[in-house]
Amino acid sequence: MKGEHHYKVSVEWTGNTGAGTAGYGAYSRDHLIRAAGKPDVPGSSDPAFRGDPARWNPEDMLVASLSACHKLWYLHLCAVEGVTVQAYRDEAEGVMVEDPKRGGAFALVTLKPQVTIAAGGDAALAQALHERAHHFCFIANSVNFPVRCEPRIVIQSAS
């Protein structure tokens, strides 16, 4: 795993309701996020900033990116270390604080993965692998705010 990796996306504003940006309330925040060969992602701003709550906003996507990156590294490490994961679900939460000078910034993201491992699995190792996953997560290594992880390991009952 070495070298550079490049990513190309396009973001197209689709929210011109006829008057462009003639006023703060004159336009929609809707946009489409596109990448070649992938389905479009409907985006907007957070509803607090006049966005559409049915569409993904950048803040949602940042929290989701942190969660997904952690999960992918965690599953990889579990496979390598012999921990059989049967289910994984994260209820991640992010906190963004508005700042009149900078506009705002994330202060914290907390990952809360619940992981079910196979009966007879090593729960202590499954727990410890979250720390290693966090260490390797590309997205967590790229942000300037704390990313906490509060995992819960469940051992699948033997049937």
Coordinates of all heavy atoms in Angstrom, one line a residue, residues 47-87:
P47 N -30.4 21.5 7.3 CA -31.7 22.2 7.4 C -31.6 23.6 8.2 O -32.3 24.5 7.9 CB -32.7 21.3 8.1 CG -32.1 19.9 7.7 CD -30.6 20.1 7.7
A48 N -30.6 23.6 9.1 CA -30.4 24.9 9.8 C -29.9 26.0 8.9 O -30.0 27.2 9.3 CB -29.4 24.6 10.9
F49 N -29.4 25.6 7.7 CA -28.9 26.6 6.8 C -29.7 26.6 5.5 O -29.2 26.7 4.4 CB -27.4 26.3 6.5 CG -26.6 26.2 7.8 CD1 -26.1 25.0 8.1 CD2 -26.4 27.3 8.6 CE1 -25.3 24.9 9.3 CE2 -25.7 27.2 9.8 CZ -25.1 26.0 10.1
R50 N -31.0 26.4 5.7 CA -32.0 26.4 4.6 C -31.9 25.2 3.6 O -32.3 25.3 2.5 CB -32.0 27.7 3.8 CG -32.2 28.9 4.7 CD -32.2 30.2 3.9 NE -33.2 30.3 2.9 CZ -34.5 30.7 3.1 NH1 -34.9 31.0 4.2 NH2 -35.3 30.7 2.0
G51 N -31.4 24.1 4.1 CA -31.2 22.9 3.3 C -32.4 22.0 3.3 O -33.3 22.1 4.2
D52 N -32.4 21.0 2.4 CA -33.4 20.0 2.3 C -33.1 18.9 3.3 O -32.1 18.2 3.0 CB -33.5 19.5 0.9 CG -34.6 18.5 0.6 OD1 -35.1 17.9 1.6 OD2 -34.9 18.3 -0.5
P53 N -33.9 18.6 4.3 CA -33.6 17.5 5.2 C -33.6 16.1 4.6 O -33.1 15.2 5.2 CB -34.6 17.6 6.3 CG -35.8 18.4 5.7 CD -35.2 19.2 4.6
A54 N -34.2 16.0 3.4 CA -34.2 14.6 2.8 C -32.9 14.3 2.0 O -32.8 13.3 1.4 CB -35.4 14.6 1.8
R55 N -32.0 15.3 1.9 CA -30.8 15.1 1.1 C -29.6 15.1 2.0 O -29.6 15.7 3.1 CB -30.6 16.3 0.1 CG -31.7 16.2 -1.0 CD -31.6 17.5 -1.9 NE -32.3 17.3 -3.1 CZ -31.7 17.2 -4.3 NH1 -30.4 17.3 -4.4 NH2 -32.4 17.0 -5.4
W56 N -28.5 14.5 1.6 CA -27.3 14.4 2.3 C -26.7 15.8 2.4 O -26.6 16.5 1.4 CB -26.3 13.5 1.7 CG -26.7 12.1 1.9 CD1 -27.5 11.3 1.2 CD2 -26.2 11.2 2.9 NE1 -27.6 10.0 1.7 CE2 -26.8 10.0 2.8 CE3 -25.3 11.4 4.0 CZ2 -26.5 8.9 3.6 CZ3 -25.0 10.3 4.8 CH2 -25.6 9.1 4.6
N57 N -26.1 16.2 3.5 CA -25.4 17.5 3.6 C -23.9 17.2 3.9 O -23.6 16.0 4.2 CB -26.0 18.4 4.7 CG -25.9 17.9 6.1 OD1 -24.9 17.6 6.6 ND2 -27.1 17.7 6.7
P58 N -23.0 18.1 3.7 CA -21.6 17.8 3.8 C -21.2 17.3 5.2 O -20.3 16.5 5.4 CB -20.9 19.2 3.6 CG -21.9 19.9 2.7 CD -23.3 19.5 3.2
E59 N -22.0 17.8 6.2 CA -21.7 17.4 7.6 C -22.0 15.9 7.8 O -21.2 15.1 8.4 CB -22.4 18.3 8.6 CG -22.0 19.7 8.6 CD -22.7 20.6 7.5 OE1 -23.6 20.1 6.8 OE2 -22.3 21.7 7.3
D60 N -23.2 15.5 7.3 CA -23.6 14.1 7.3 C -22.5 13.2 6.6 O -22.1 12.2 7.1 CB -24.9 13.8 6.5 CG -26.1 14.4 7.2 OD1 -26.2 14.5 8.4 OD2 -27.1 14.6 6.4
M61 N -22.0 13.7 5.5 CA -21.1 12.9 4.7 C -19.7 12.8 5.4 O -19.1 11.8 5.3 CB -21.0 13.5 3.3 CG -22.3 13.4 2.5 SD -22.3 14.1 0.9 CE -21.4 12.8 0.1
L62 N -19.3 13.8 6.1 CA -18.0 13.8 6.8 C -18.1 12.7 7.9 O -17.2 11.9 8.1 CB -17.7 15.1 7.4 CG -16.4 15.2 8.2 CD1 -15.2 14.7 7.4 CD2 -16.1 16.6 8.7
V63 N -19.2 12.7 8.7 CA -19.4 11.8 9.8 C -19.5 10.4 9.2 O -18.8 9.4 9.7 CB -20.6 12.1 10.6 CG1 -20.9 11.0 11.6 CG2 -20.4 13.4 11.3
A64 N -20.2 10.2 8.1 CA -20.3 8.9 7.4 C -19.0 8.4 6.9 O -18.7 7.2 7.0 CB -21.4 9.0 6.3
S65 N -18.2 9.3 6.4 CA -16.9 9.0 5.8 C -16.0 8.4 7.0 O -15.3 7.4 6.8 CB -16.2 10.1 5.2 OG -16.9 10.5 4.0
L66 N -16.0 9.1 8.1 CA -15.2 8.6 9.2 C -15.7 7.3 9.7 O -14.9 6.4 10.0 CB -15.3 9.6 10.4 CG -14.5 10.9 10.2 CD1 -15.0 12.0 11.1 CD2 -13.0 10.6 10.5
S67 N -17.0 7.1 9.8 CA -17.5 5.8 10.2 C -17.2 4.7 9.2 O -16.8 3.6 9.6 CB -19.1 5.9 10.4 OG -19.6 4.7 10.7
A68 N -17.4 4.9 8.0 CA -17.1 3.9 6.9 C -15.6 3.5 6.9 O -15.3 2.4 6.8 CB -17.6 4.4 5.6
C69 N -14.8 4.5 7.0 CA -13.3 4.2 6.9 C -12.9 3.4 8.1 O -12.2 2.4 7.9 CB -12.5 5.6 6.9 SG -10.8 5.3 6.6
H70 N -13.4 3.7 9.3 CA -13.1 3.0 10.5 C -13.6 1.5 10.3 O -12.8 0.6 10.6 CB -13.7 3.6 11.7 CG -13.4 2.8 13.0 ND1 -12.3 3.1 13.7 CD2 -14.1 1.8 13.6 CE1 -12.3 2.3 14.8 NE2 -13.4 1.5 14.7
K71 N -14.8 1.4 9.8 CA -15.4 0.0 9.6 C -14.6 -0.8 8.7 O -14.3 -2.0 8.9 CB -16.8 0.2 9.2 CG -17.5 -1.2 9.0 CD -18.3 -1.4 7.7 CE -18.2 -0.4 6.6 NZ -18.0 -1.0 5.3
L72 N -14.2 -0.2 7.6 CA -13.4 -1.0 6.6 C -12.1 -1.4 7.1 O -11.7 -2.6 6.9 CB -13.2 -0.1 5.3 CG -14.5 0.1 4.5 CD1 -14.3 1.2 3.5 CD2 -15.0 -1.2 3.9
W73 N -11.4 -0.6 7.8 CA -10.1 -1.0 8.5 C -10.4 -2.0 9.5 O -9.6 -3.0 9.7 CB -9.4 0.2 9.1 CG -8.4 0.8 8.1 CD1 -8.6 2.0 7.4 CD2 -7.2 0.3 7.6 NE1 -7.6 2.2 6.6 CE2 -6.7 1.2 6.7 CE3 -6.5 -0.9 7.9 CZ2 -5.5 0.9 6.0 CZ3 -5.3 -1.1 7.2 CH2 -4.8 -0.2 6.3
Y74 N -11.4 -1.9 10.3 CA -11.7 -2.8 11.4 C -12.0 -4.2 10.8 O -11.4 -5.2 11.3 CB -12.9 -2.3 12.2 CG -13.2 -3.2 13.4 CD1 -12.5 -3.2 14.5 CD2 -14.3 -4.1 13.3 CE1 -12.8 -4.1 15.6 CE2 -14.6 -5.0 14.3 CZ -13.8 -5.0 15.4 OH -14.1 -5.8 16.5
L75 N -12.8 -4.3 9.8 CA -13.2 -5.6 9.2 C -11.9 -6.2 8.6 O -11.7 -7.4 8.7 CB -14.2 -5.4 8.1 CG -15.6 -5.0 8.6 CD1 -16.5 -4.8 7.4 CD2 -16.2 -5.9 9.7
H76 N -11.0 -5.4 8.0 CA -9.8 -5.9 7.5 C -8.9 -6.5 8.6 O -8.4 -7.7 8.5 CB -9.0 -4.8 6.8 CG -7.6 -5.2 6.5 ND1 -7.2 -6.0 5.4 CD2 -6.4 -4.8 7.1 CE1 -5.9 -6.1 5.4 NE2 -5.4 -5.4 6.4
L77 N -8.8 -5.8 9.7 CA -7.9 -6.3 10.8 C -8.5 -7.5 11.4 O -7.8 -8.4 11.8 CB -7.7 -5.1 11.8 CG -6.9 -4.0 11.3 CD1 -6.9 -2.8 12.3 CD2 -5.4 -4.4 11.0
C78 N -9.8 -7.5 11.5 CA -10.5 -8.7 12.1 C -10.2 -9.9 11.2 O -9.9 -11.0 11.7 CB -12.0 -8.5 12.3 SG -12.4 -7.4 13.7
A79 N -10.3 -9.8 9.9 CA -10.1 -10.9 9.0 C -8.6 -11.4 9.1 O -8.4 -12.6 9.2 CB -10.4 -10.5 7.6
V80 N -7.7 -10.5 9.2 CA -6.3 -10.8 9.3 C -6.0 -11.5 10.7 O -5.2 -12.5 10.8 CB -5.4 -9.6 9.2 CG1 -4.0 -9.8 9.6 CG2 -5.5 -9.1 7.7
E81 N -6.7 -11.1 11.8 CA -6.4 -11.6 13.1 C -7.3 -12.7 13.5 O -7.2 -13.2 14.6 CB -6.5 -10.4 14.1 CG -5.5 -9.3 13.9 CD -4.1 -9.7 14.3 OE1 -3.9 -10.7 15.1 OE2 -3.2 -9.1 13.8
G82 N -8.2 -13.2 12.6 CA -9.0 -14.3 13.0 C -10.2 -14.1 13.8 O -10.7 -15.0 14.4
V83 N -10.7 -12.8 13.8 CA -11.9 -12.5 14.5 C -13.0 -12.5 13.5 O -13.0 -11.7 12.5 CB -11.8 -11.1 15.2 CG1 -13.2 -10.7 15.8 CG2 -10.7 -11.1 16.3
T84 N -14.0 -13.4 13.6 CA -15.1 -13.5 12.7 C -16.2 -12.5 13.0 O -16.9 -12.8 14.0 CB -15.6 -14.9 12.6 OG1 -14.5 -15.8 12.2 CG2 -16.7 -15.1 11.5
V85 N -16.3 -11.5 12.3 CA -17.4 -10.5 12.5 C -18.7 -11.0 11.8 O -18.6 -11.3 10.6 CB -17.0 -9.1 12.0 CG1 -18.2 -8.1 12.1 CG2 -15.8 -8.6 12.8
Q86 N -19.8 -11.0 12.5 CA -21.1 -11.5 11.9 C -21.9 -10.3 11.6 O -22.8 -10.3 10.7 CB -21.8 -12.4 12.9 CG -21.1 -13.7 13.2 CD -21.0 -14.6 12.0 OE1 -21.7 -14.4 11.0 NE2 -20.1 -15.5 12.0
A87 N -21.8 -9.2 12.3 CA -22.6 -8.0 12.1 C -21.8 -6.8 12.6 O -21.0 -6.9 13.6 CB -23.9 -8.1 12.8

